[in-house]
Amino acid sequence: MARPIDAAMQSSFLRTLLVCAACAPVAGTLGAQAAVFPLLITAMSADVRGRADATRVAAQLASHMISAASAAALGLLDTRTLAFGQGALSAAFPVGCVLLLSLQFTRLRHPPAMASGGAVLCGVNPLAVVGCAIVTGLVLVAETLLRGVRRGES
């Protein structure tokens, strides 16, 4: 027998659907639809009920931006290529992997953010990741405000 869907599950589904709908045009405009998926994971797991949750989610969104910016900065450094046995590989990719993995050992640890940085390393426009992170944050703030209004808080 299937278990009934509880309110938290419904909220998570709706939040993720809203983030997808809001981020799709942002990422699509920049031709970087892959930027949306790591932020969907963040939205799915973000249940902001208080100040501590809001701080946690803000750090997660910041980690998406830092990962994307770090990966983009490596690309801008144009480290050229390193020769490896079977050909040339951009030096930015292995250095970027080490950088993104090292971010996971800080307070900003958030595996979906590593996926955002990895997408940028693979050519996704970093502005799409940053734009989608901002949109995700706006959806989460709106959800928190609506919950407060429903409970009669101001």
Side-chain angles (χ1 to χ4, degrees), residues 34-135:
V36 176
F37 294 105
L39 285 143
L40 291 178
I41 295 167
T42 298
M44 199 178 311
S45 62
D47 192 21
V48 183
R49 293 184 183 264
R51 191 170 294 238
D53 290 335
T55 302
R56 175 186 48 83
V57 171
Q60 290 173 347
L61 293 173
S63 67
H64 280 282
M65 293 183 191
I66 291 168
S67 291
S70 300
L74 280 172
L76 291 175
L77 287 177
D78 192 25
T79 53
R80 299 290 172 209
T81 58
L82 291 176
F84 288 99
Q86 297 178 339
L89 176 69
S90 171
F93 190 79
V95 170
C97 288
V98 170
L99 174 70
L100 294 174
L101 282 170
S102 66
L103 282 174
Q104 295 302 305
F105 293 99
T106 69
R107 289 183 148 224
L108 293 174
R109 182 185 191 286
H110 185 54
M114 193 168 85
S116 288
V120 172
L121 279 176
C122 292
V124 169
N125 188 332
L127 294 178
V129 174
V130 171
C132 289
I134 291 169
V135 167

